[in-house]
Amino acid sequence: DFEIDNSFFVDRLSVSNTSHKQTREPTTMMMEWRVLLLAFLSPSFALRDGDQQNVHSQPLEKCDRSMINDPRYPHTGFMRGGDNSLNDRCTATAIDSGSHYVCVNLPEAKIDGELYSPFWTKTGQAFDEKEATSWPKPGPWCICMWAFANMLGMHPEFADDLNCNATNHWVLENYNVQHPGELRALKAVCGKCGVKSDKCTEAMALP
């Protein structure tokens, strides 16, 4: 079955209602191989919750869904459901090929009195508003850093939904300023979060 957190926010992701078959464009697949390679080449990229930092180089805060009434998706984070300390954290780990390290606050809307997030329809993951009611409800959610970079060009308003204190520092470290989409995403994170770092200074100075 389709594991919803393993494929969130993938550019032009198509999910069948019956078979849950996933289709990714080659660019996204290349990004996933890239993050796996980076992960295994980096000795510091290990699952140690105490070492996880946010974009301000402070301890990573929760992308906290504890106040969200969503029985189907009560927690977020790739590592949710096992070690409770990893629930609702955008934890950087080598086994997460989708790199769900960006915490956003999913916006809300209603259809026929039922709550849903238009995030899922804007990204094309839900075919329509009615289907989106079965996806995670509005509130904090960990999304893919690479697809965030891909989609930001079409939806610059996504930057407004960033939760800086719960977004993993790995995002800043690994966005490539030579890649236009990643540079745009890096600028969005640096600007929204007010990050002061050499890399942010470099990024903000580029056209």
Side-chain angles (χ1 to χ4, degrees):
D1 288 344
F2 176 54
E3 173 57 33
I4 198 164
D5 209 349
N6 290 351
S7 299
F8 268 138
F9 200 29
V10 175
D11 191 16
R12 295 179 178 85
L13 175 66
S14 175
V15 182
S16 165
N17 283 330
T18 54
S19 66
H20 301 302
K21 182 179 179 181
Q22 301 174 42
T23 303
R24 293 181 177 85
E25 289 192 345
T27 300
T28 303
M29 294 176 69
M30 290 174 65
M31 284 182 172
E32 291 185 355
W33 279 110
R34 173 185 167 187
V35 70
L36 277 174
L37 180 62
L38 284 170
F40 286 108
L41 287 179
S42 174
S44 63
F45 193 44
L47 187 58
R48 297 189 298 268
D49 187 50
D51 293 343
Q52 302 282 322
Q53 294 185 330
N54 62 27
V55 296
H56 297 298
S57 298
Q58 300 295 321
L60 184 68
E61 295 184 9
K62 285 189 173 185
C63 194
D64 194 358
R65 289 183 66 79
S66 63
M67 302 300 292
I68 308 301
N69 182 17
D70 189 355
R72 188 175 182 186
Y73 300 107
H75 299 294
T76 187
F78 184 83
M79 300 301 296
R80 73 185 191 274
D83 182 347
N84 289 337
S85 69
L86 298 178
N87 282 341
D88 296 333
R89 293 189 189 276
C90 303
T91 302
T93 170
I95 64 174
D96 180 5
S97 62
S99 302
H100 300 88
Y101 309 149
V102 176
C103 179
V104 298
N105 294 307
L106 302 177
E108 68 175 68
K110 285 188 176 182
I111 181 171
D112 299 330
E114 194 167 0
L115 195 64
Y116 77 98
S117 177
F119 177 89
W120 305 121
T121 52
K122 286 183 178 182
T123 58
Q125 296 185 74
F127 295 113
D128 55 30
E129 291 85 354
K130 194 63 178 176
E131 183 188 335
T133 63
S134 67
W135 287 65
K137 300 298 184 186
W141 197 262
C142 298
I143 63 173
C144 170
M145 62 177 283
W146 308 116
F148 175 73
N150 281 348
M151 294 296 292
L152 198 59
M154 291 181 283
H155 297 285
E157 70 276 13
F158 286 170
D160 297 331
D161 300 326
L162 282 167
N163 183 330
C164 302
N165 291 336
T167 293
N168 203 294
H169 194 273
W170 206 83
V171 171
L172 293 183
E173 294 175 359
N174 290 281
Y175 275 146
N176 185 350
V177 297
Q178 302 302 318
H179 185 286
E182 293 179 31
L183 174 61
R184 181 172 51 238
L186 180 59
K187 285 183 172 182
V189 175
C190 293
K192 167 72 174 180
C193 301
V195 179
K196 306 298 182 185
S197 70
D198 290 344
K199 190 167 186 180
C200 280
T201 299
E202 177 190 4
M204 299 304 280
L206 292 172

